Amino acid sequence: QVQLVESGGGSVQAGGSLRLSCAASGYTYGTTSMAWFRQAPGKGREGVASTSNGTGKTYYADSVKGRFTISQDNAKNTLYLHMTSLKPEDTAMYYCAASKTFSPIGIQRVLAGTFDYWGQGTQVTVSS
């Protein structure tokens, strides 16, 4: 079992930056990839970015490419999402997720069904 706890959300103005953190604990050695998702009110869960633990490759949704960066500190068992040039449409609850199975397509497309463990989320609000 893996436990995930997000932090770092908050309220910022458009154009600002935030860095989200996700602390992982438990059987983290059994995970193959990690990702960030978000869900805005009244909308479905959207994959934002993912990273493969084995290769270190990263993948991004087109909506955040060039503005968001996913990274991880293996020594600290922590996943990060550095968000810059934030827009009001980035407003959402952001979730960290981890997968225990290897699914190349799921990781590349950041598909929610690929991931087995989820955090409780951290709110990001961007005002115009």
Side-chain angles (χ1 to χ4, degrees):
Q1 197 75 337
V2 176
Q3 294 78 43
L4 304 171
V5 179
E6 303 95 335
S7 61
S11 296
V12 296
Q13 290 191 328
S17 301
L18 279 175
R19 189 181 76 162
L20 306 183
S21 299
C22 172
S25 60
Y27 188 58
T28 58
Y29 293 104
T31 60
T32 62
S33 58
M34 297 191 72
W36 287 97
F37 290 79
R38 66 185 181 186
Q39 188 165 15
K43 295 188 177 181
R45 191 163 292 191
E46 174 191 17
V48 174
S50 66
T51 180
S52 171
N53 292 355
T55 65
K57 289 185 177 181
T58 57
Y59 305 91
Y60 297 92
D62 288 342
S63 58
V64 306
K65 206 169 290 184
R67 300 188 298 122
F68 290 12
T69 303
I70 188 172
S71 63
Q72 55 184 356
D73 185 332
N74 292 325
K76 296 182 179 180
N77 282 337
T78 302
L79 182 74
Y80 301 101
L81 185 68
H82 188 207
M83 306 183 294
T84 64
S85 301
L86 283 162
K87 305 174 182 180
E89 50 263 44
D90 294 318
T91 294
M93 184 72 77
Y94 283 71
Y95 298 90
C96 170
S99 176
K100 61 181 179 181
T101 58
F102 182 66
S103 173
I105 297 297
I107 297 169
Q108 291 174 21
R109 297 181 181 177
V110 200
L111 300 177
T114 299
F115 296 87
D116 306 287
Y117 306 105
W118 295 83
Q120 294 300 307
T122 185
Q123 178 68 38
V124 172
T125 302
V126 184
S127 58
S128 56

